[in-house]
Amino acid sequence: MKGLEFDKQKLIENIELLLEAIKQSETQMEIIQKELSNTQWYLGEEKARYAELERQLNEKSSYIQSLEQELQKLRHHYDESQWYLGEEKARRERLEIELDNSQKRCQDLELQLSQLKTQCNLLQKELADTQWYLGEERARRRALEEQYKTV
């Protein structure tokens, strides 16, 4: 019987050890459960932060894309403006050349006009002189005609 009591005693010790191990396991399970709960909560928080960051990233990407489209439009308008500016510069240069040519032509014409005025003044003086001489000659002719009639 002693062997049975010894086995019983050992069995009780083993059961007590097992019960103690179960209590420790339950305590560890509670700690692990609490850590799991905390980890799941932090995971939820991180998922929410990730979702918010992803939403912000999508907004920023859309904004950047709209800015790039606007920049592309502005570049296109700039290129068009540069082309038109080049055309206008070439047109202005042609007009400036035409203006210079016109100014030179005007100067030439003014010089010609001045020369024509001088020539006209000379011709008017010659005409006046000629008319005076003609008047003188007419007077002499009349005088001669008068003399001739009387002779």
Side-chain angles (χ1 to χ4, degrees):
M1 276 268 194
K2 210 175 184 185
L4 211 50
E5 260 185 53
F6 178 71
D7 283 338
K8 195 176 178 188
Q9 181 82 22
K10 251 193 173 207
L11 192 60
I12 290 174
E13 284 176 14
N14 282 339
I15 289 174
E16 284 176 359
L17 284 174
L18 284 173
L19 286 174
E20 186 61 34
I22 289 173
K23 278 185 185 180
Q24 286 178 356
S25 292
E26 284 176 352
T27 303
Q28 284 180 345
M29 285 290 277
E30 284 176 10
I31 291 171
I32 291 172
Q33 187 67 31
K34 187 176 181 182
E35 287 177 0
L36 177 62
S37 178
N38 286 340
T39 302
Q40 287 174 337
W41 184 82
Y42 286 121
L43 179 61
E45 287 291 311
E46 289 302 314
K47 281 182 179 180
R49 278 190 213 138
Y50 177 80
E52 177 62 20
L53 289 174
E54 191 170 14
R55 184 191 65 74
Q56 289 177 1
L57 177 63
N58 288 336
E59 284 179 2
K60 303 281 189 228
S61 294
S62 294
Y63 181 66
I64 289 170
Q65 187 177 17
S66 70
L67 287 177
E68 286 173 342
Q69 289 172 349
E70 184 65 25
L71 179 62
Q72 189 175 14
K73 286 179 188 176
L74 290 173
R75 281 185 181 148
H76 178 72
H77 289 300
Y78 174 77
D79 291 341
E80 277 183 352
S81 297
Q82 288 297 314
W83 185 82
Y84 284 118
L85 179 62
E87 289 293 310
E88 286 301 313
K89 282 182 179 178
R91 182 173 174 259
R92 188 197 68 212
E93 287 173 6
R94 284 191 309 272
L95 291 174
E96 285 176 351
I97 290 170
E98 286 180 27
L99 178 62
D100 286 344
N101 291 337
S102 294
Q103 287 175 338
K104 287 176 185 173
R105 181 77 177 130
C106 280
Q107 288 173 349
D108 291 344
L109 290 172
E110 285 173 352
L111 181 61
Q112 286 178 5
L113 179 61
S114 175
Q115 290 171 347
L116 285 173
K117 283 180 180 179
T118 302
Q119 190 177 10
C120 184
N121 288 336
L122 285 174
L123 289 173
Q124 284 178 341
K125 185 178 181 297
E126 284 181 29
L127 177 62
D129 289 347
T130 302
Q131 286 174 342
W132 184 82
Y133 286 119
L134 179 61
E136 288 288 313
E137 288 300 317
R138 283 183 182 159
R140 264 191 232 149
R141 189 188 68 169
R142 279 188 218 133
L144 285 174
E145 282 177 354
E146 285 297 317
Q147 277 182 357
Y148 179 70
K149 283 185 188 178
T150 56
V151 181

